[in-house]
Amino acid sequence: MAPQCTALNISDGSLCQQIATSINGLFCSFHSRQCQGLYRGYKNRNAQLDALDANLPPYLANSLTPLANETFSAVDSEDTLRELHDYLALKYALLDRVIRARKLHHSRFFSLNLDYGHEQYLSTLSSGRFIVVRTLESLERRVSEVLYKKQKWFKWVRQCQDEEETARETEKKKIKKEAALFRRHVKDVQARMKELRAKEDLKRQEAYLDEAYNNRMSEEEQEAEWDPTEDVIEDERGNYVDLIKHILLLTESVQDDAQETKSSNDGIESEETDASSSIVVAKKGKKSKSKAATNGASGALLDKSAHDTKSQVRERLRNGIKLSYRKGFHVAGTIDNPVETHDKTAPVPDDEIDQLLTDMAEIKHLLFCRLLLSHAAVLPAAIRAGSVDDFLNDKEVTDTDLRDLALKLDNPGLQEIRDTCADLGRGEEEEDDVYEEPDEETEVNKLDERLKKMGLSNNLYKRGGLPKKWAPEREKQVTKNKQARQGIVDALGDMFKDSGEIRSQTLIDFGEIDDESKFKSKKIRVRICGKYIHNYPSEKAINRGGWLQFCLIAKDSDLRDAIKLCRHWDEFFDLNILSTFQYFPAAKWLVWKGDHRRKQLLQLGVIPYMQFDGGEELSNNFSTGSRVQGRRAHAITESRNFLCVNIKRNDPVTRRYLQYLTMLASKVVLLVRDAKTSKILRSPPKEQLWLHREKAGFGRASKNEWVVRWEVSEKFFEKGIFFPYWHFGFNDYYDVYIWDLEPGQNRACLYNIVFETLIKAHRFRGMQDQYRPAESILKTITHDPETMRTRDLKPGEDAMSIWEEIQKGRNRMLNTKGKTLEEQMAPDLDQSYFYGEADTLEDEVLFAEEFSTEPSNALYIGTVNALENFGNEGPNWERFVHDLETDEELESDESSGSDWSDESDNHLLENENQGDEDEWEDESEDDEEREHALETTKASSNGEDDLAMVKSDSPTMEEILSSVFSAEQQKDMAVLHLWKPPRDFRADVKADFDTFYDREKSRPFKAGWHAADLAPGGPERWEEAQAIVKQMKSFIGTSDDSFKHYHTIRFLDVHPDKHRRVTRDARDARAIAYLFFPSSFLFSKYGSPHKDSLLLNQRERALNPTPRRPHASDAKKPKNFWDEFDSHFKTHAVSDYPAEWDIAVRPVIARLYKAGVIGPTFLPEQNTPGKAMAVPTGPSGQRDLYIDFRLIQPEITFPRHVNHPPSKDWLMTQMHTFAQKHPGARFSALRLWSAPHFYPLMIGYDRRSFTSFTDFLGRGWEWIFVPKDMPFSETSIHHTASQRFAVFRKQLGDRVLHMRDLFIVMGEDEDDLLKYTTAAIFMIQTEPWRLEVDIWRSFMNVDLDFLEWADGLGNGWLD
């Protein structure tokens, strides 16, 4: 039997079937000559390579740097660079040919021989070729840098190359990817192999062999055989060119089996593949551990071709794609999920497909051009080329370069595709995006910095056991990437300011440079392969056409991948709405299709990403009683449903929504984290952070402790970041966590609360309004009347938009249960679910700035009042530190204002900062008094006779004082002479801190109290009184009575060193009392503007009282007070109430809440003892807020030492007795300030549940200060007044009487009354600075007849 040829065909690697005719009996005639030609060819090139290494260019011969590390930074000569380039290019060509020929020779003719020496030599040559390639790239970069160093855009190109260098893969990985690439394109490769085999068969003909042999011998006299290496290289280059053209849609597939395409479409499911995509996408996530080849996208590689031709894309879009539904409550037949498309995407007409394919080809060309920028070796050729074909036909572009380009083009990144889709339609001058981030203050806490310098820390506690800030690494990276992008743009801006002279002769033509070599803009475009691309990725939002192309081009990508690439929230929201209405013809982009509940939240801008609704199933309660056999036992499990969502930041709707949820603390618990600043803006108490807890054991369950198995904590946050199927590429959003307050709730309860609150936040007044957030989008899209496909409205088209379709009326809904459809009609909701008049009145209080014409900040800061902010942040510790050393005002206070008040929140109380500044100003006046005498003395010692005064005897202190102050002032100052403090008050740091804390706390407390004064004109009257008192203080300061307040503190035995406010409080008390005692105040420049004020005319004021609700608590109210409500709720449910009641109560509660007087309570509705009612009061019958506390009235008891207030008769008897003893007696009736609804008495945190109540919406509230409706509230204020009086009982004796919130001061005459009135006012208003005298409801320096007359008017002046 004749021996068979052992060689393998070079074209396809198949075994030759010819008879072996060579001398060694191994090869046929054709392969014998081919083997000899290969051998001689690589031997000759080896010799040339050795000769080349022996004759190095002068620069390399003299350089001590290894070739692998050479950067050529020292070379500035173009001739030297050109010489080096020619040398390296020739060496690379020789190395490449030698390696290819040796590999081909061994693999085709000696494949069964294991020659390890030959493999080692090949590895050495491959390493040398790799070094030469990298050196060539460094040389190309240096050449461009030398030639175009004046053109600043080069740095951008270099940056692209640096990024490519960082992410460069090894040659070994590229070879593996190349093999995978050709396996995926096996059909096209097989067709190419047929052509190569045909060529090889032609060469087998003897005549062709002889002719080729003779021609080769005549052309190359030194070669004895023909060298087939060049033919192999040319064939491989053709493979890469064909692949690139196929990906760029420049060619059609050789085999386009329509039946295979159809069967492929029929098998597509939304969970497996995206039938409308055409390029494999490389994701940056974790690689699959399976051995199957992957393309970097969501799933494994498909068996079919990874890149579809135009005909394949057309067929898919024309036939539609099958869909499958995820878990959820799915509804078909709605406006966004028509019955015709509930299980399959609608077909696309041919004319639209043609336009889509044209744009797809354009985008792929732009993507190819952008990839060329990262390849330094081919960049000159790419810039010279007028088209892609010109570039691919350029002989300077090696097959290795084409291989690298084909690999990158076959496996692009999602970000690269996104940027390229944004490039489509970008003009030469790109306009700025409409979206602008709000200007915000730097997120640097200056207070923290100052405390750090003093060695203190402001982070003394966490919010409810949670850190003040938390952010996952992903969000931190988003911020870094954004800063990096901005840095690049800024650097380019600086780069293009001046661009010196530019060479006229260059190797690469980068186009014209206008304006005499100076760029007008920091944004430039570069021409690559005939296409212009920008020097930066677009930061603008991609339009819907760009996203449509993205879903067609990005294979195996889904909507979540696109979400990661959105630049900001508005772009994401548009993408979300379009996907909800099935705008994109891709199965994986319709993952939320039909899920009715999720869709409702998505359309309103709430994006749920993690949810647990098994609280009802996991909660159970098992216990045995004491009468059963065995020990008492229990096993209790409680679980809460929760929902985690993302919502837009800095949006009025968001702020309203989060505020409404905050006020629903009796139903849901809320935690808000700002993704941009990483701050936790709102968090519940620590005891409300649990999500799942258990208790089990023997005995009573109440005596056992709960074991928390799952809670909201840092671990919960870290676990939660892995739940979303997507992550935002921006940080302009809030991360919101919502969970049920009560365990074991039905899963629908939490959803209903979230959705109903959204309706109110968006201010919807009907069901059709729920589409209003997407109105701008829905007005531009329509349903095709035949296929119900969602598409863009064409210019001038007479078609009904989806928005117009919604406005027509209700929709027919079909519940999808498997394959059956049950027709239903959408029910009409009760009007109470929508935004109404009561909601409007409430919003006018909570968000007053939204109803003004001035621009406002919509940031949610977690608090709406200074009291809550003070409770969260604490006092200004810097003030405490400085207060230990000096009485001077802090410089930081002058510029930054109050640290407990957030200046960026313009909806806080308006007068907080002003009151704080006035207080510090007043405190500084005390220091001015102390230094006034010394400063005046120094001033009097200055003059022309200073030298004479020095020579004469120095004056005594008495002489100095007599020359500055009057005799009356000296007498007053002598009161404090030699008065030593009983102890060193500064030595007791704890007591000093308590005083400081009371002083700091009094500021926000008083600001909140007066903001909650809902009496008609109450705040205005208070401001008027304060202004008059301030003028009186100025008047006293200029008179001989400027130091009279020293008598008050000496009389009460309160030393000025006790605390820094002693003299200020005494001066304030003196000024208030002086208003109603004889003086020339009204005739001075200080008092003349107020001489007509009703405040100073006590008789007229008594005749015109301010309308005020009765002070009686529930225990003192008439028995028929609640009859109207008792009769109503006997026949109606608790939720069924007249709208006028809610309209009257809601604004009042909002005012009290915003002022910080009440707050949300974490008590379920059934556990709150009070109920808000709207009771008509006064002659007008206008309804006001009253709280029904009758439920807890029997449970309230007082300790024995607590005295109840005396009767008014006892008070009048005491005054008559004093008047009989002193015929000239004068009286002052001092009323403590209080708001109509509460007393300024704080309730302990553990006692607030007893004063909690619910409003008509079922929202729970708790009083932070004692409500007047609380049973026996009169006793509480009377007890507090008694405690204040007990401190000074020794000094005041029986001259002061008190009943509830009323103090009666009695004096033998005016002077005596002035002394005791001033002392009584000081007693009321001094430390701890909570109580104040209500001047408008007080009478001073009057006789007994006046008081009896005023009380007889029936206005309750002495009640």
Side-chain angles (χ1 to χ4, degrees), residues 38-238:
L38 282 173
Y39 176 78
R40 289 181 177 275
Y42 74 70
K43 282 295 184 181
N44 290 336
R45 290 187 173 88
N46 256 118
Q48 296 178 23
L49 190 62
D50 294 337
L52 193 64
D53 290 337
N55 299 299
L56 295 174
Y59 176 81
L60 294 179
N62 299 327
S63 177
L64 301 178
T65 304
L67 191 63
N69 300 332
E70 186 61 67
T71 61
F72 305 103
S73 58
V75 182
D76 295 326
S77 172
E78 294 183 23
D79 296 335
T80 303
L81 291 172
R82 194 181 302 277
E83 180 185 9
L84 291 171
H85 184 274
D86 294 342
Y87 168 79
L88 292 174
L90 178 59
K91 185 173 183 178
Y92 170 77
L94 291 175
L95 282 171
D96 185 66
R97 298 304 191 272
V98 169
I99 293 172
R100 288 176 178 272
R102 283 181 176 272
K103 285 184 177 181
L104 194 63
H105 182 268
H106 183 74
S107 62
R108 294 296 187 266
F109 300 101
F110 301 99
S111 59
L112 300 180
N113 296 341
L114 301 179
D115 190 346
Y116 294 103
H118 186 263
E119 288 294 329
Q120 182 66 28
Y121 185 67
L122 276 177
S123 299
T124 303
L125 291 178
S126 297
S127 177
R129 182 179 62 176
F130 180 80
I131 293 174
V132 172
V133 170
R134 296 295 171 265
T135 308
L136 263 174
E137 292 179 354
S138 300
L139 183 63
E140 289 280 357
R141 186 177 302 181
R142 180 58 183 166
V143 169
S144 300
E145 188 174 359
V146 170
L147 295 180
Y148 303 103
K149 60 184 178 181
K150 299 297 184 180
Q151 296 189 20
K152 303 297 183 181
W153 63 265
F154 168 75
K155 292 187 178 180
W156 161 62
V157 177
R158 182 168 183 174
Q159 181 186 6
C160 297
Q161 296 167 355
D162 288 337
E163 292 175 356
E164 172 67 16
E165 183 71 26
T166 304
R168 188 183 300 280
E169 297 173 329
T170 62
E171 186 71 14
K172 194 173 185 180
K173 290 183 179 179
K174 287 185 178 181
I175 292 174
K176 291 182 179 180
K177 283 191 173 184
E178 179 184 5
L181 176 64
F182 282 107
R183 283 198 299 271
R184 292 196 298 271
H185 296 277
V186 62
K187 295 179 181 178
D188 293 331
V189 171
Q190 288 176 354
R192 181 75 178 170
M193 291 299 179
K194 289 183 180 180
E195 297 179 3
L196 295 178
R197 280 197 296 270
K199 288 184 179 180
E200 200 166 14
D201 292 340
L202 183 63
K203 293 179 181 179
R204 291 179 186 278
Q205 301 177 10
E206 192 68 28
Y208 176 81
L209 291 175
D210 292 337
E211 182 180 359
Y213 175 76
N214 294 330
N215 291 338
R216 181 71 67 176
M217 290 296 294
S218 62
E219 294 174 359
E220 301 178 1
E221 297 178 357
Q222 297 180 355
E223 291 187 11
E225 294 290 343
W226 133 73
D227 184 2
T229 305
E230 296 296 334
D231 297 335
V232 173
I233 292 175
E234 183 179 356
D235 293 337
E236 290 182 357
R237 181 187 181 91

Side-chain angles (χ1 to χ4, degrees), residues 415-484:
Q415 185 65 53
E416 294 172 335
I417 298 177
R418 188 263 178 207
D419 294 340
T420 309
C421 290
D423 286 341
L424 185 65
R426 293 173 71 182
E428 182 175 356
E429 294 294 335
E430 185 181 24
E431 297 179 358
D432 295 333
D433 201 348
V434 176
Y435 178 85
E436 294 182 0
E437 290 191 3
D439 295 331
E440 300 175 17
E441 296 181 0
T442 307
E443 296 293 341
V444 177
N445 194 328
K446 298 180 180 179
L447 176 60
D448 289 344
E449 294 181 354
R450 297 197 300 266
L451 292 177
K452 187 176 181 180
K453 293 179 181 179
M454 294 186 293
L456 299 177
S457 174
N458 196 31
N459 190 19
L460 301 180
Y461 56 90
K462 295 184 177 181
R463 288 176 175 265
L466 296 172
K468 290 185 176 181
K469 286 186 176 183
W470 186 87
E473 290 298 326
R474 170 182 50 80
E475 289 183 2
K476 297 177 182 178
Q477 190 61 40
V478 168
T479 303
K480 292 180 181 178
N481 293 342
K482 188 173 183 179
Q483 293 174 350

Side-chain angles (χ1 to χ4, degrees), residues 1186-1206:
Y1186 284 85
I1187 312 297
D1188 182 5
F1189 282 118
R1190 288 177 294 174
L1191 184 64
I1192 63 169
Q1193 182 175 332
E1195 303 177 7
I1196 296 179
T1197 58
F1198 289 93
R1200 292 183 178 180
H1201 68 276
V1202 175
N1203 296 322
H1204 294 276

